[in-house]
Each structure stands twice: as C-alpha cells, then as structure tokens.
Amino acid sequence: MMQHNFSAGPCILPKSVFNKASKAVMDLDNSGLSILEISHRSKAFVEIMEKARTLALAHLNLNPNEYTALFLQGGASYQFLMTAYNLLESKAAYLDTGTWSAKAIKEAKLLGEVDVVASSKDKNYNYIPKSFTVPSDANYLHITSNNTIFGTQIKDFPQVDAPVVCDMSSDIFSRAIDFSYFDLIYAGAQKNMGPAGATLVVVKNDILGKVSRAIPSMLDYQTMISKDSMFNTPPVFSVYVSMLTLEWLKQEGGVSAIEKKNKEKADLIYTEIDRNPLFEGFAVKEDRSAMNATFTLKDEALKSKFDEMAKQANLNGINGHRSVGGYRASMYNALPLESVQVLVDVMKELERTA
Amino acid sequence: MMQHNFSAGPCILPKSVFNKASKAVMDLDNSGLSILEISHRSKAFVEIMEKARTLALAHLNLNPNEYTALFLQGGASYQFLMTAYNLLESKAAYLDTGTWSAKAIKEAKLLGEVDVVASSKDKNYNYIPKSFTVPSDANYLHITSNNTIFGTQIKDFPQVDAPVVCDMSSDIFSRAIDFSYFDLIYAGAQKNMGPAGATLVVVKNDILGKVSRAIPSMLDYQTMISKDSMFNTPPVFSVYVSMLTLEWLKQEGGVSAIEKKNKEKADLIYTEIDRNPLFEGFAVKEDRSAMNATFTLKDEALKSKFDEMAKQANLNGINGHRSVGGYRASMYNALPLESVQVLVDVMKELERTA
Ligand SMILES: Cc1ncc(COP(=O)(O)O)c(C=O)c1O
Ligand SMILES: Cc1ncc(COP(=O)(O)O)c(C=O)c1O
Ligand SMILES: [Mg+2]
Ligand SMILES: [Mg+2]
Ligand SMILES: [Mg+2]
Ligand SMILES: [Mg+2]
C-alpha cells in the first residue's frame, strides 16, 4: 500500500534511489560485492565519494577552487560544535530562530562569546527576526535557513560583513539561491540528500585556519579536507545513497526545477490551510517554509476524527512536533505533489463531514 | 561470481544480513516504508535501536544495570577523542601497540597528560608489550585489543587497578572473554558488527561524571545515555544492519561458537604460513591475531605471480597495509572457512609452480 510520507526527517527519498540502493546492498554494479562490504579505500568507493562531493558543489553552483564539500558523520548537531571549534576565536553572532539555533548557541558558548543578535522565541519561533545588527568584531554570523520544527524559512538573507555560517539541514538543494553568499553550509543528509548517517559540509577554504586553539583531528575541517573527506572510515552507505539522490536531482533538472515543484506543493497546502475554516497556519505568512508546513486544528475536538481519516488515507508522519503541537507536513524534494493533494483532500473531507 | 572478501574493514557480513537489509531498503517489515525513510522516533526504529543495544550487551554477557550500550556516529577515531574528553582528568596511561593506539594517544594529549606505559614501535609493532607499570594516579589505561594493521592481538589482559578503556574495533564479538574486565569498550561497526557509519560504545555507568571540564553535548556519554542513544538522529541504517548482524551471531551460537570457527580459520592460515617455505608471518607467534593474519612473501619476485593467482581465485582485499607491506588476510566473523581454504590452496599452488 502506497504510503504518503510527510516525515520531518529521516524522510522520503526517490523510489528510483531505493531501487538502486537495495540492489547495491546485494551487489554493487556487478562487482560481486555488496556496497556494505567494500573497502572505503576501494576504487569503487573513492569514485562514489568524489562523485557525491562534486555533485554537491555543482548543485550549489559553487566554485570547486573556492569551496570544499565534505561528507562527515555526527549529524548537524555535531556541526554545532565543529563550526565553533574551527571558527570561533573570540565572539560569534547567532540568530535564534528555533530549537536548532538554540542548540547551536548552547554548544558555541563553550568555546567563546556568543552574541544572540535577535530571537523569535518570544512568539514560540513563529517568525524570522528581520532587523538586527551583527557586531563588527564577530568572527561569523550563524543562521538556520529553515526551521524544521516551527515551519519558518529565511527568504531574504541579511547583508553582513562577517562570514555567514548556515545550518541548511532542512532546505538544502530545495531552492535556487546564490550559495556563494555563504561561507560555510552544513546539513544532515536525512532530508533532501539521503539517509541518516552522513552530513554535508560545504566550506569556503579561506575562512579556515584563523583560530588559535588546538583542534582535535575529528573536529578539524582542515584535516578532513586534506584527507579528501576520508580521514577515517566514512559512512559508506549513506554517502552512496546521497550520491544517488544528488544524481536523481540532476536528472530532475537541479535545484531550479525542484524549486518549482516545491513551490507548487507549498502553494497547494498553504492555500488549503488558509481557505479551510477548520485549520490555521502556525508560522506568519511571509516566513512560511516551503519544506515544513505547520498548522493546527482550531477545534481540538476534531483531532481524533482527522487523525483517523489521515490514517485511512495512508498519510504518514503529519503529527506536529511537541513544541508546536497540531500538524506538520514536511514536503521535501522527493515528496510527490499527489501526496500533498491527498492530504488536502482529507482536510476538505473533514470540513465536509465535521 | 563468488568473491572471497578478506577486507580489513568495511568487510564481509553474513549473506542473510545482506538479504534482509536489501529487502528493508524497499520495504521494512511490510510497513510500506523503506528503512531509509522512516523517522528515528518511529516505534519501528526505537525497537530496532533497543534490540541492537540489548543484543550487544547480551553477547558481551554484561549486566544492563551496570553497563550501557550506545550506537554513535564518528567511528572509532571519534572515540579517541570522546573517551579522553569524558575520562581524562589529569593523567591517562596508554599502551602503544600500533597505528590506532598512536592516534588515540595523539588526541588524548590535547586533554591531559598521557603516559605511554609501553610501546612496540621499536619492532614496527609486530608484538604486544607484556610488562609495564600503570601509574597509580592514572585515570584509566587505554589499550587496543586487536591491531588490525599489524595483525597482533592481546591474549592476556594486564591486571591493573585503573579503569580499562579498550578499542575493540577489530575483534569485538569474536571471542569469549570476561568483558566485565573492561570499563569502556568501543568499536567501529565495520568489522564484526555491521556496515560503516555506526560505532558501538559500551560503558560502565559508574566511571562517568568524574572529570571537571565542561563536555560538549555531542562528546558527552552521559548525554547520549540519558537520551537512549538518540540525542540526535542516529545512523538508522547502520544501526539496523548491526542489529541484524547481532541477531545472526545469536543464531550462530554467540561469541563462544564463533570463537571456535575463528580459531579454525586462523589455525588454517597460520599453519600454511609457517609450513610454506615461500611465506613468513609478520607478527610474533604468541601475539598473532585471529582476525588479521599478516604475512609476506620471502621472495618479492613472486609477487606479481601470486597476485595474479589470487585474482583468478577471486580473493579480494588481501593486500597488506602500507605500514607492513606483504599480505593481510582479515578473517572476521562472517568470513567462511572455505574462503580461507581457497587462499591456502593458492599459497600451496604458488609453492608447487614457483
Ligand atoms: C534545521 C536542523 N538542524 C539540525 C538538526 C539536527 O540534525 P541531526 O539530528 O542530524 O543532528 C535538525 C534535525 O532535524 C534540523 O532540522
Ligand atoms: C583497531 C582500530 N581502531 C580504530 C580504527 C579507526 O576506525 P574508524 O575508521 O571507524 O575511525 C580502526 C580502523 O580500521 C581500527 O582497526
Ligand atoms: Mg559574506
Ligand atoms: Mg484556515
Ligand atoms: Mg578493572
Ligand atoms: Mg613460512
């Protein structure tokens, strides 16, 4: 039975990727060996890793002479620490737009002064703060481009002098923006890129090497760069499936093409949220995320009925995060428009029968 | 064509595990969802994680009230840092038995005084130092139970008062020893446990919480324990396949049963290395590893002939590490005796035709 997977991450990936990955677990490209048993130093895997790194930069339209793509372990949470370890010499500026920003702030504080330049915590993070000042002596500004839990997304990136570090975990490869605006981008694979277990870091080479602390090997971007992202055993399978997903994205026409589809899906759900008198959106309209639509039932008494209808329609993973409540429809790159249509139909059906 | 996979890691896993993993990539237990797209907070995955953690402790015969099993990211290299972060208050003792010990020492030095109590570097790590003294004020002794590159293995563990931390990456679950001797065990999954991308840590709860430094969340065992090994998104697929492999090990009769098979394999190869006048072993006999047999051709001129014969026989991954040269046959739990027999036959054939 076809499931409509609205999970916030790990999440749906393209069916063709599942097919290829499943085959490679039995036999990678007719090698007689499983992708799970080959050496990470084998020619086959070195090529997979290089392909994944090259595709990542190509999709972001970044110059490989200026930027390096790394596939690391540890998730985005590890990057909260790693970015600060490598870049925070004295003071860093952080924009607090949600749970993940707040966690990044917590880790950075262990390594230096953190200036929280603005926060939307006052309204349970239902908007993106727009006017703030970044201190001129900040080593960098850290932002979260898409707030997975609250369903907000930065549309216009602030003009700042400091290098910009961005947690792009939940909207990387979803829209065409000028990625050269960023000096460091990181993203857990498990939304638009692949399965859990790999983390993409894209770093502008010239921002590194400026802090005075000794950096442990496993936290040092320069070590990872010098070893072509294989300082130690990489998460082979997660990198492989990420590579397949980045290839799929290329076949789909890249980020510009996928952005159009993502917009269609977002328009469909938000139009219904606004139109349907039973529902209301959580995030303020101008900051709504195209990836995660957060909404609530005005009348909680309808919850069990709606949940049952959603279940009957094979809608998966639409429960909201406990920090927001209600519902969250995550509509990452691989989610088909039809799945959103099924959700919208159920919302309409609830209205008709409530 | 059947390949005989002697890779040092990532390495061969049981065929039945590949089958199940491949199916789960298409559809996990008839859920209609891939193991790659389910939420790590789903009931299905929470159960998988708990099963993996429970099986790991059960195989090691450790009391779940005293020890906690964690599946983390970062590999064993990350544990070089994490162990020191959590346990090194002033001074730690390290036994230097190879490249991996040396790397662990390097990371620990960033956090405190490191006393290298003994080293076999003088003989390119071809033996295990036996007599050494651990300072009474050492916070712990760090050892490497099996030296993957050099093919040595600790057979008798030293009697010490300090807590013992062990890098068991390349021989965990391969032999029945009293695991309660250890206070912390870590191992990258990619040898006897599963695919790359997960790292098992088994820690005795009462050794934690004794250092004065502030520990970043992602480096803090207590944080990982308090979140049931899901502080952040775990490497879902690698944990799943590790769980399948630990289930397979149970069906095989556990570590005692697998130890017998491993001994058969090791006896087979070492007997031939000793018997065959063309080859010689690298590690001293009493310290030979049952997991990684290192050996060289006495006459380098035979190398291309032997390599070609090995290739024809579908022997994979037998090249030695560059630090040792020659050959290395890694014979992890899932490698069948037949594969070792094929290698031995090729060695005999070389002798016959050389
Ligand atoms: C925006 C954002 N940042 C960070 C994280 C944490 O990622 P991880 O679980 O890989 O550490 C998430 C997880 O969903 C996220 O959505
Ligand atoms: C004994 C030992 N320790 C540590 C490592 C490093 O493991 P990882 O690559 O997972 O960091 C290895 C890798 O082969 C190993 O054999
Ligand atoms: Mg800039
Ligand atoms: Mg409405
Ligand atoms: Mg003891
Ligand atoms: Mg011999």
Side-chain angles (χ1 to χ4, degrees):
Chain A
M1 178 50 85
M2 158 89 179
Q3 300 288 322
H4 302 286
N5 188 358
F6 289 91
S7 275
C11 67
I12 189 169
L13 295 175
K15 192 83 186 167
S16 63
V17 168
F18 291 149
N19 277 322
K20 286 179 193 169
S22 175
K23 283 202 186 106
V25 169
M26 293 310 296
D27 185 1
L28 175 68
D29 297 334
N30 299 314
S31 62
L33 293 169
S34 165
I35 179 73
L36 305 184
E37 66 176 320
I38 61 167
S39 169
H40 58 296
R41 305 289 179 199
S42 64
K43 187 162 172 290
F45 185 71
V46 170
E47 282 175 15
I48 288 164
M49 175 62 96
E50 281 316 300
K51 206 164 183 179
R53 298 173 71 198
T54 303
L55 279 166
L57 288 185
H59 279 310
L60 301 175
N61 201 19
L62 289 173
N63 183 343
N65 297 321
E66 283 181 62
Y67 288 84
T68 305
L70 300 168
F71 281 86
L72 305 179
Q73 293 188 64
S77 299
Y78 188 53
Q79 293 307 311
F80 299 161
L81 180 64
M82 196 163 175
T83 47
Y85 238 106
N86 285 268
L87 302 173
L88 207 178
E89 177 68 11
S90 51
K91 187 201 279 188
Y94 278 70
L95 182 62
D96 177 28
T97 56
T99 307
W100 302 114
S101 310
K103 291 200 180 203
I105 289 165
K106 181 178 172 221
E107 302 308 315
K109 278 186 175 163
L110 293 173
L111 294 161
E113 190 186 334
V114 172
D115 186 336
V116 179
V117 292
S119 171
S120 48
K121 196 174 179 182
D122 57 338
K123 297 202 169 147
N124 198 24
Y125 297 119
N126 77 346
Y127 71 102
I128 302 286
K130 310 268 167 4
S131 60
F132 51 84
T133 312
V134 174
S136 61
D137 60 346
N139 300 131
Y140 59 89
L141 168 68
H142 180 284
I143 59 178
T144 311
S145 55
N146 186 75
N147 299 281
T148 327
I149 294 176
F150 303 93
T152 62
Q153 188 173 30
I154 300 180
K155 305 292 163 83
D156 297 305
F157 292 92
Q159 284 313 314
V160 289
D161 291 331
V164 177
V165 172
C166 183
D167 176 357
M168 215 176 268
S169 292
S170 52
D171 70 349
I172 194 163
F173 302 127
S174 73
R175 53 176 171 164
I177 48 185
D178 176 7
F179 293 98
S180 73
Y181 164 83
F182 304 99
D183 297 270
L184 192 149
I185 295 168
Y186 63 87
Q190 67 270 13
K191 272 86 158 147
N192 279 330
M193 195 167 41
T199 311
L200 176 67
V201 174
V202 171
V203 56
K204 196 169 183 178
N205 305 320
D206 69 13
I207 65 163
L208 299 175
K210 297 185 178 168
V211 292
S212 53
R213 75 174 59 81
I215 307 176
S217 307
M218 285 297 291
L219 282 163
D220 188 348
Y221 291 124
Q222 289 186 315
T223 299
M224 300 299 147
I225 292 171
S226 72
K227 299 291 183 180
D228 292 328
S229 203
M230 292 226 247
F231 170 69
N232 72 327
T233 316
V236 171
F237 184 74
S238 296
V239 173
Y240 175 68
V241 182
S242 296
M243 183 278 281
L244 294 177
T245 310
L246 293 172
E247 273 187 335
W248 167 85
L249 180 58
K250 194 171 166 183
Q251 283 148 18
E252 290 288 300
V255 288
S256 312
I258 213 80
E259 179 176 24
K260 289 205 190 78
K261 294 191 181 178
N262 289 333
K263 191 169 178 324
E264 270 186 85
K265 292 183 278 177
D267 286 348
L268 183 57
I269 185 79
Y270 285 121
T271 301
E272 177 62 13
I273 290 169
D274 291 340
R275 186 207 61 76
N276 193 321
L278 302 184
F279 294 94
E280 69 189 338
F282 171 76
V284 305
K285 286 190 186 182
E286 62 177 11
D287 299 327
R288 280 173 166 175
S289 165
M291 295 283 103
N292 316 92
T294 45
F295 55 101
T296 49
L297 268 170
K298 289 185 193 163
D299 179 1
E300 269 293 303
L302 290 172
K303 180 167 166 46
S304 57
K305 182 176 163 83
F306 183 63
D307 288 351
E308 184 54 32
M309 289 168 66
K311 198 176 159 191
Q312 290 304 323
N314 294 315
L315 297 171
N316 249 280
I318 62 167
N319 276 334
H321 190 277
R322 65 183 180 286
S323 325
V324 178
Y327 299 94
R328 170 174 54 172
S330 295
M331 304 169 294
Y332 298 116
N333 285 355
L335 187 86
L337 182 66
E338 298 73 61
S339 290
V340 183
Q341 188 61 58
V342 171
L343 170 57
V344 165
D345 289 347
V346 171
M347 292 166 77
K348 287 189 199 298
E349 182 68 7
L350 182 73
E351 181 191 8
R352 213 179 53 79
T353 60
Chain B
M1 181 49 84
M2 156 88 177
Q3 299 287 323
H4 302 287
N5 188 357
F6 288 90
S7 275
C11 68
I12 188 168
L13 295 174
K15 193 81 186 169
S16 63
V17 168
F18 290 149
N19 278 322
K20 285 179 194 169
S22 175
K23 283 202 186 107
V25 169
M26 293 311 296
D27 184 0
L28 175 67
D29 298 335
N30 299 313
S31 62
L33 293 170
S34 165
I35 179 70
L36 305 185
E37 68 176 319
I38 62 168
S39 169
H40 58 296
R41 306 288 179 200
S42 64
K43 189 164 171 288
F45 185 71
V46 171
E47 282 174 12
I48 288 165
M49 175 63 96
E50 281 315 300
K51 207 167 185 177
R53 296 174 72 198
T54 302
L55 280 167
L57 288 184
H59 280 309
L60 302 176
N61 202 18
L62 289 173
N63 183 343
N65 295 321
E66 283 180 61
Y67 287 84
T68 306
L70 300 169
F71 281 86
L72 306 179
Q73 294 188 64
S77 300
Y78 188 53
Q79 293 307 311
F80 299 160
L81 180 65
M82 195 164 176
T83 48
Y85 238 106
N86 285 268
L87 302 173
L88 208 178
E89 177 68 11
S90 52
K91 187 202 279 188
Y94 278 70
L95 183 61
D96 177 27
T97 55
T99 308
W100 302 114
S101 311
K103 291 200 181 202
I105 289 165
K106 181 178 174 222
E107 300 310 313
K109 279 185 175 164
L110 292 173
L111 294 162
E113 190 187 332
V114 172
D115 186 334
V116 179
V117 291
S119 170
S120 48
K121 195 174 181 184
D122 56 339
K123 297 203 170 147
N124 199 23
Y125 297 119
N126 77 345
Y127 72 102
I128 303 285
K130 311 263 166 8
S131 61
F132 51 83
T133 313
V134 174
S136 61
D137 59 345
N139 301 133
Y140 59 89
L141 168 67
H142 181 284
I143 59 180
T144 312
S145 56
N146 186 76
N147 299 283
T148 326
I149 293 177
F150 303 93
T152 63
Q153 188 173 29
I154 300 181
K155 305 292 161 83
D156 298 305
F157 293 91
Q159 285 313 314
V160 289
D161 292 332
V164 177
V165 172
C166 184
D167 175 357
M168 215 175 271
S169 292
S170 51
D171 70 349
I172 194 164
F173 302 126
S174 73
R175 53 175 172 166
I177 48 184
D178 176 8
F179 293 98
S180 74
Y181 164 84
F182 304 99
D183 297 270
L184 192 149
I185 295 167
Y186 62 86
Q190 67 270 14
K191 273 84 159 148
N192 279 330
M193 195 167 42
T199 311
L200 175 67
V201 174
V202 172
V203 58
K204 195 167 183 180
N205 305 321
D206 69 14
I207 65 163
L208 300 175
K210 297 183 178 167
V211 292
S212 53
R213 73 174 59 81
I215 307 177
S217 306
M218 285 297 291
L219 282 164
D220 188 349
Y221 291 124
Q222 290 187 314
T223 300
M224 300 301 147
I225 292 171
S226 73
K227 298 291 184 180
D228 293 328
S229 203
M230 293 227 246
F231 170 71
N232 71 326
T233 316
V236 171
F237 184 75
S238 296
V239 173
Y240 175 66
V241 182
S242 297
M243 184 278 281
L244 293 177
T245 310
L246 293 172
E247 273 188 335
W248 167 85
L249 180 58
K250 194 173 166 183
Q251 284 149 17
E252 291 287 301
V255 288
S256 312
I258 214 81
E259 179 177 24
K260 288 205 190 78
K261 295 192 183 178
N262 288 333
K263 190 168 177 325
E264 271 185 85
K265 292 184 278 176
D267 286 347
L268 184 58
I269 184 81
Y270 284 121
T271 300
E272 177 62 14
I273 290 170
D274 291 340
R275 186 208 62 76
N276 192 321
L278 303 184
F279 294 94
E280 69 189 338
F282 172 76
V284 304
K285 286 189 187 183
E286 63 177 10
D287 298 329
R288 279 172 167 176
S289 164
M291 295 283 102
N292 315 94
T294 45
F295 55 102
T296 50
L297 267 171
K298 289 186 192 162
D299 180 2
E300 270 292 304
L302 290 172
K303 181 167 166 49
S304 58
K305 182 176 162 83
F306 183 64
D307 288 352
E308 184 54 32
M309 288 168 66
K311 198 175 160 194
Q312 291 304 325
N314 292 316
L315 297 172
N316 249 281
I318 60 166
N319 277 333
H321 190 276
R322 65 181 179 287
S323 324
V324 177
Y327 298 94
R328 171 173 54 171
S330 295
M331 304 170 294
Y332 297 117
N333 285 355
L335 187 85
L337 182 65
E338 297 74 61
S339 289
V340 183
Q341 188 61 58
V342 171
L343 171 56
V344 165
D345 290 346
V346 171
M347 291 165 77
K348 286 188 201 294
E349 181 69 8
L350 182 72
E351 181 191 6
R352 212 178 55 77
T353 59

